Amino acid sequence: MTIKKTLDDWLRWQESLHLSAIDMGLERVARVRDAMNLKPACPVIMVAGTNGKGSTCAMLSSMFHAAGFKVGTYTSPHILQYNERIAIDLKPASDARIIASFEAIDAARGDTTLTYFEFGTLAAVHSFVAEKVDVIILEVGLGGRLDAVNIFEPDVSVVVSVDLDHQAILGDNREDIGFEKAGIYRAGKPAICVDPEPPRRLLDHAAAIGADLRLYGRDFGFTRMDNQWSFRHGEHARHALPIPALRGGYQMVNACGALAVLEAIKDKLPVGIGAVKQGLVEVEWPGRFQVLPGRPAVVLDVGHNPHAVKAMAAALKQLPYAENRYAVFSMLADKDMAAVIELARGEFDHWLVAGLDMPRGQSGAAIASALTQAGIPNVKAYDTVADAWKAALSQAGDNDRIVVFGSFHTVAEVEAARRHRV
């Protein structure tokens, strides 16, 4: 048996435990859940979506925390440290807390093998129960219906957006993907959809199971003024709300979805207007159109699919003028790079690219070639993302802008370089 002492030891072991890194299905992980008798007593909120689900989780966590509730939040992937995935009262769980949960899972699983993500999902909920949180917020990793998170019973489920990503697993159209995400809805429970154009299969599934479906634009929505906004839900409203601290116009829709969740669960977890305002002002969610202080202007964005990059491009247009615009860019090989390039091409004057050294990565030369073939000038490939970042810093002046995007891994490598001054 492999000796596992540190959190890194556990994570390395988990990566090789199961035959495949992704194994969509609930039978194995549910079996271990039952062996652990893992049944949260507090309300559970489940959040799915192609994009925006992490931001929605962050806003919900911030508002619940401001209201005095102890919050457990599970998100993925992480940027720098695994502990980011399991947050208790907005702070990453300690190594010791996570290891204790891993040990409990390993003792209960018997001969059942689990993926890295399944281990993490069980560990998150086990940690939250052990820490006696008041509310659990679970971000779906992939899809919804067959994602490990879906073994738990939500009091409220929300689908933030439906667009193309992970097509090889979820389907190559919005209808099939919408059906997969609707798998987190439950009969008789609030089922929120924030996508302004919900797929018909999502609507049909919600109706078929008897979910309490609440749609953006029909059942709830918002009105924006200059520096504030109002939220409405049926006949109820919250006025004079501050613009969320998270940048990007699309965050208004995410905030609207988060408030719809609060409305759906207010009998169990009442959040007053003061906590709502405080939560929106104080929310933090690194890497999601994150504008760093100082000059040159630097934006970090983990956007890695066309839907996210389209939103990023729109948000960039709202920023102050930059004389020279630099992209530090890398993507995984299984993403739709051609569509991303087409959406982002008008936002940059210089592209500094590099490969990602991992199984799904591709070389910097391949990325540079794709950009050149798309007719984009001023492209240069580097050995690593850190090298591309260093080059961008050396070239950019005070009135320029650097945008790091294309993958969580791209942002993670730049963040590591920034912290270690590489």
Side-chain angles (χ1 to χ4, degrees):
M1 179 179 175
T2 303
I3 298 175
K4 303 173 285 294
K5 295 182 179 179
T6 69
L7 181 57
D8 285 342
D9 291 337
W10 275 96
L11 297 175
R12 279 192 294 269
W13 173 75
Q14 289 171 25
E15 288 175 342
S16 60
L17 177 63
H18 195 63
L19 290 174
S20 57
I22 298 175
D23 188 352
M24 304 298 284
L26 305 181
E27 182 181 348
R28 287 175 301 97
V29 67
R31 188 159 60 239
V32 181
R33 173 206 62 194
D34 292 342
M36 298 175 71
N37 193 29
L38 195 53
K39 297 178 181 178
C42 68
V44 174
I45 298 166
M46 199 169 290
V47 185
T50 305
N51 297 298
K53 55 185 184 288
S55 297
T56 301
C57 290
M59 284 188 262
L60 282 169
S61 300
S62 185
M63 290 186 287
F64 281 128
H65 178 73
F69 294 111
K70 189 173 185 180
V71 189
T73 313
Y74 177 54
T75 56
S76 64
H78 59 277
I79 293 180
L80 286 178
Q81 290 183 306
Y82 183 89
N83 311 59
E84 297 166 21
R85 297 176 178 230
I86 302 173
I88 299 168
D89 263 350
L90 311 186
K91 296 179 181 178
S94 67
D95 286 11
R97 172 63 269 161
I98 298 172
I99 289 171
S101 292
F102 283 164
E103 290 173 343
I105 296 164
D106 201 22
R109 70 180 180 84
D111 295 331
T112 302
T113 60
L114 297 169
T115 67
Y116 177 97
F117 183 78
E118 290 165 347
F119 245 99
T121 302
L122 290 169
V125 175
H126 183 269
S127 294
F128 299 151
V129 170
E131 295 292 329
K132 295 182 171 59
V133 302
D134 298 313
V135 57
I136 291 174
I137 301 170
L138 301 176
E139 178 191 7
V140 169
L142 188 77
R145 183 175 64 94
L146 299 177
D147 187 86
V149 163
N150 205 30
I151 62 169
F152 297 102
E153 284 303 307
D155 293 82
V156 182
S157 302
V158 54
V159 174
V160 181
S161 64
V162 181
D163 216 288
L164 301 182
D165 200 8
H166 304 291
Q167 291 98 310
I169 298 172
L170 302 180
D172 61 1
N173 59 82
R174 290 184 75 248
E175 289 296 328
D176 289 347
I177 294 172
F179 173 75
E180 292 296 328
K181 295 188 186 304
I184 68 169
Y185 291 160
R186 297 292 190 271
K189 298 289 182 69
I192 297 166
C193 182
V194 193
D195 193 294
E197 297 180 359
R200 171 50 56 185
R201 290 195 68 191
L202 178 147
L203 301 176
D204 289 347
H205 178 73
I209 66 171
D212 177 11
L213 185 62
R214 305 180 184 191
L215 298 178
Y216 171 75
R218 185 190 74 180
D219 303 302
F220 64 93
F222 73 95
T223 303
R224 178 169 181 172
M225 284 67 80
D226 287 341
N227 294 308
Q228 61 183 28
W229 61 292
S230 296
F231 168 78
R232 64 163 182 82
H233 188 287
E235 297 180 356
H236 304 285
R238 296 185 191 251
H239 298 295
L241 298 172
I243 303 300
L246 303 182
R247 291 183 180 241
Y250 51 90
Q251 294 293 3
M252 293 297 303
V253 178
N254 294 339
C256 187
L259 263 67
V261 172
L262 295 187
E263 190 70 24
I265 206 166
K266 64 184 179 182
D267 291 343
K268 295 180 179 179
L269 299 166
V271 178
I273 189 66
V276 168
K277 292 181 177 182
Q278 182 181 343
L280 290 174
V281 168
E282 296 181 352
V283 63
E284 296 179 354
W285 194 227
R288 282 71 173 182
F289 206 79
Q290 180 183 5
V291 181
L292 302 181
R295 293 186 175 185
V298 175
V299 178
L300 307 178
D301 196 288
V302 297
H304 54 272
N305 56 52
H307 185 257
V309 173
K310 182 179 181 180
M312 182 196 77
L316 286 172
K317 288 179 170 62
Q318 303 304 313
L319 294 183
Y321 172 78
E323 288 185 8
N324 294 286
R325 304 166 299 169
Y326 295 85
V328 175
F329 176 65
S330 188
M331 288 189 75
L332 294 173
D334 57 359
K335 299 299 180 181
D336 190 353
M337 187 163 62
V340 164
I341 289 171
E342 189 59 34
L343 288 165
R345 64 186 301 147
E347 301 307 316
F348 303 106
D349 308 301
H350 306 274
W351 292 73
L352 295 79
V353 306
L356 294 169
D357 186 16
M358 55 189 59
R360 292 159 58 208
Q362 55 189 322
S363 70
I367 297 171
S369 176
L371 285 160
T372 302
Q373 289 178 18
I376 293 176
N378 302 323
V379 177
K380 187 170 182 180
Y382 294 83
D383 290 338
T384 67
V385 171
D387 288 340
W389 164 248
K390 261 198 313 185
L393 277 182
S394 69
Q395 295 172 33
D398 283 354
N399 297 320
D400 298 337
R401 182 168 63 230
I402 303 170
V403 179
V404 180
F405 79 107
S407 172
F408 275 88
H409 306 287
T410 311
V411 171
E413 291 193 27
V414 167
E415 278 288 65
R418 288 180 63 238
R419 295 195 180 194
H420 295 96
R421 299 185 183 277
V422 173

